[in-house]
Amino acid sequence: MTVNIIKHNKGILAKSLFLPAMLFAGLTACTDDSGINIPDEPNKGESGYITITLSNTNLTTRAEYDESGVTYLNENLIESVTLCMSPSAGDRTDNDQAAYMQTFEGLDAKDGIVTLRIPMSTELENRLFNENNSESCNVFAAVNVDPGEAKTVAELRNLTISSDFPTEQKQSSFTMDGDAKVEYDRASHSATSDIKVKRSAAKFTLALAVDREIKETTASGEITWKPKLDGMSVMMQQGVGKSQLDPKPEPNMDTDVYFNSANTLNGKYTFEYDANAQEPAESGLKYKYDYVQNIPLYSYPNKWTGNEDERHGTYLLLVVPWSNDEGRTYRTCYYHVPVVPSGTYEIARNISYHINLHVGVLGSYVPEEPFEVEADYYVADWGSEDLEVDIKDYRYLVVDQNEYTVNNENSITIPFYTSHPTEVVAINMKFWRFNFSDEGTAFSVTVTKEMNELSKDRGGKPVFTSNFDNTNNTLTVTHDLTIWQPYDAAGNIVDLTNNVESLGASRKKTQTEAEVKAVTDRIAFYKEVDDDEYSMVEFEVTVQHSDVADGTSGIDQRLYKETVNITQFPGMYITAVQNNTISNSAHTTLEGNGAYGNTIINGRYDPHVSWGNEYNDGVFTQSSVYDNRKMALNAVNWDYSMGLSTENLNWNPNMYLVTITNLPENTEFIIDDPRSYYINNYLSNDNVDSQNLTPYPDEYWKRVYGGTYWNVEKLNNPTAAEIQTIMNGRVVSSASRYNWTQGYKVDGFISAKALSGESPRTLRYYYPTREAMDNSNTVAPKFRICSSYGGTWAYLTREMARRRAAAYQELGYCAGRWRLPTFGEVKFVMELSRQNKIPRLFGRESGVWYYWCAQGAVLVPKRGDTTTEIKIVANPGQDGNPGGGNSAIAPFTGNNFRDHGRFVYDEWYWGSTPIEPSSNQDPNRNAPIYTFTWGDQQKTNPENPTN
């Protein structure tokens, strides 16, 4: 597998490439002789690849680069790139570890454009685009910087950078960064992105129109002064030489600010005569600025107030020697040249400041108190300044970053640096829905600018507002975090939450792209509903100089525009992560490699056991290919999964992630850490919220038929004979088909790879859910619910449910971190289903089911039943003897009786980055991608739930 790196005008080269071994294997370097063709469109997608093109300039020809001098000065040079990619769906922020991180070195792209092609393995595709069936993911690029120990975008943005601005005129390179979206095309199995990277520094160039002589009137008469034009120089004063990759304009005066001095190597910057300088009459300029600084000055951003006692306002110190005796002697004059226009006190990154100064007076003779002068300023985007050579009023439109996040706020205001009036030229909003079918795959719904206008006219209120304030140079986008009901052109409601059609006893109708499109294509406008939004909301907003947008400037309408992406999160929101799906037969037949879905329980790739019993001559025989001494009965097997059931239960391969930052008033739920303060790896105590480090013992159980139902019983202190009988299989006491007993052994947790401590090891630091009733309404601030692969078909005892949760793993969310939900979490999720916000995750089509929660057995109503109370029908205080039913639909619900299980993962505590895959296998095969791994870790402070 190779990574293609295309350096424009140069060919292909890759040096010192590193790819995580778990994602890519067999990496080789590509060279100019690799035989790989460079496409005519470098950023065009290629099947099987993520193609990312980075550029720091809008210049398009080699002549432009050479003419501007940036090749010699390394201003556009891209030597290395660190890429971070993460799903755009979900609530990932810059502080979360990237799903993919890679550093490419030895690029040597002097023209400022480089194209990277990353092989899109199935695993990488799933990581980046599987969440919510997303059509995009986020990408961040850090250029010409050593990432060091950085693992997140936030850490990369905050990397400390230092320059040779004080000592060297020619820099070896410039640090840059940028962010964008990677657009994914499922049909072509390709993804592309164009990232405009911005330099961390700003650039300053001074051009002078110096009077060839100045008359000074003195008491003794008039004196004529003439400048020594080849002796002029300029130095940076209070420039910023140390900052961050994404610089914050608040330097430390003692460590970050620098001064050029005449005694410093290359400290003085001189001027060259420009024979082609335009005359004022031709150019519209005030003077003929024919002496131009030969090499620019640079500084990282700075901000000051202009107060007299302020120490760090950046300026240029211009030095001009004057002679009044025909050059025999000179007097040096010093001028204070502001780097920005009067009334402005900020330097922005990636901006080229052109300063035109007329020198027509003598300056100060004291360098510490230079004479302040006024100049004319022309400012441009550093990457665009030479594109429109006929434009005299240089233009710029710059935003600090292109990706923004808003948490539980209805509005965001983003500052821009712009030279001309600007307006919003395009905007789209997108939100997600989850309950279109029982399969539950999320799909996005778009609100266009036209829909928004029609919503204002027909719905009475726009869905969102956007405005560019040209007084303050800010973009403001506002959207109320409420549900917006779509309507068609005729005024009929378009239902986005229920397309379920019953197909008898089989699973429910699945969602297809065509079905979704047929529904969403009907949408014409929206009306606001008095209910909180429950998905993230995304905006893509493009702003542009108004006179460029309307064509009156004569400038290419593709230029002077910026696109920003805004992700808005409500106080409670849901995201879906899909586990892989396959035909149901894979879950109801015996398969040597186990059932598809990457669900692992207690170290085995979870098989869906299916066997029958035959009655011959008074003896039952088992027709399973599995050894019954190794596998438990399917009716009591604590690691036995429902999978994607073909019965009238549920069929949903999604894990749902519920994030709660703000609960509505008068709610019964409490946001807190539901886990015990104490380690308990045994999990058979009636009170698990106690410190108990007893290792998991061997246990022996038997299955007993009790008249009209089956149950299981734990054998306390079994004899050797009983153990031998259990290990040998069934004991038949008569010819009656049902009068027999079978036992089995629970072997405990296996030793496996561990994320901390010695490895391999078994479960060591497990904190179960507190089972006290005062914890019943607690919900974790961010928890993941396992998919239908984790639901149990066979009934579980309370002990089995606890242990199954502790040893459960799905995709890369490892074992030792899942737990039984609280009653509040079960009810919270059930209410979301009743409100059609997510598909049904608990229960069945008809009749009630019981699920274990930390506080006992929960009665779960059937689909569509909104009147039956969701309640606890058995709890530890009832000593395992509740008044439950005795049929398969209403089983006993005590501690040692049987109910179903489904589990949750504390993402708020463990983070959203799963373990790395163990291989790059095709997940469409029945083979595990992830190794069973113990991820439990000891809390550093048991009394502190966040530590």
Side-chain angles (χ1 to χ4, degrees), residues 504-565:
S506 62
R507 64 177 174 83
K508 298 301 171 285
K509 185 176 181 179
T510 59
Q511 164 196 316
T512 66
E513 291 184 13
E515 287 177 322
V516 174
K517 188 174 186 302
V519 173
T520 56
D521 280 353
R522 293 172 48 207
I523 300 173
F525 66 96
Y526 294 81
K527 291 183 181 180
E528 189 174 17
V529 177
D530 186 20
D531 192 8
D532 292 336
E533 178 57 78
Y534 54 90
S535 90
M536 69 174 184
V537 181
E538 288 189 332
F539 288 91
E540 183 180 80
V541 191
T542 301
V543 301
Q544 188 173 33
H545 282 172
S546 300
D547 62 342
V548 176
D550 64 22
T552 59
S553 67
I555 300 172
D556 188 332
Q557 288 182 294
R558 294 172 297 177
L559 302 177
Y560 300 105
K561 64 169 58 177
E562 283 278 3
T563 297
V564 296
N565 294 288

Side-chain angles (χ1 to χ4, degrees), residues 619-662:
V619 178
F620 285 97
T621 59
Q622 181 178 321
S623 60
S624 171
V625 299
Y626 287 100
D627 186 339
N628 70 312
R629 289 172 298 177
K630 180 178 180 182
M631 301 296 295
L633 276 172
N634 60 350
V636 293
N637 193 355
W638 70 292
D639 62 353
Y640 178 81
S641 279
M642 178 191 302
L644 303 187
S645 172
T646 58
E647 302 298 328
N648 57 357
L649 308 174
N650 56 63
W651 192 86
N652 194 327
N654 294 293
M655 290 185 284
Y656 288 91
L657 179 61
V658 180
T659 303
I660 310 169
T661 60
N662 185 38

Side-chain angles (χ1 to χ4, degrees), residues 733-746:
S733 59
S734 73
S736 170
R737 181 176 180 84
Y738 298 110
N739 191 7
W740 59 275
T741 299
Q742 181 178 9
Y744 64 96
K745 176 184 176 183
V746 177

Side-chain angles (χ1 to χ4, degrees), residues 436 451 454 458 485-496 499 515-526:
F436 196 62
M451 290 177 181
L454 192 58
R458 298 189 60 180
Q485 177 67 55
Y487 288 77
D488 61 20
N492 301 308
I493 289 178
V494 179
D495 189 356
L496 300 176
N499 192 46
E515 287 177 322
V516 174
K517 188 174 186 302
V519 173
T520 56
D521 280 353
R522 293 172 48 207
I523 300 173
F525 66 96
Y526 294 81

Side-chain angles (χ1 to χ4, degrees), residues 708-710 795 844 848-850 885-891 898 900:
T708 58
Y709 63 90
W710 292 102
Y795 297 120
R844 61 188 300 163
V848 298
W849 262 25
Y850 297 92
N886 60 1
S887 68
I889 290 190
R898 52 206 179 106
H900 304 278

Side-chain angles (χ1 to χ4, degrees), residues 160-161 238-244 248-259 300-303 311-314:
T160 299
I161 55 174
Q238 298 176 174
V240 181
K242 182 180 179 182
S243 189
Q244 295 175 331
K248 304 299 183 286
E250 299 171 354
N252 183 317
M253 183 67 189
D254 297 325
T255 60
D256 302 345
V257 174
Y258 79 91
F259 297 78
Y300 294 122
N302 191 9
K303 190 173 185 178
R311 300 172 59 205
H312 66 275
T314 303

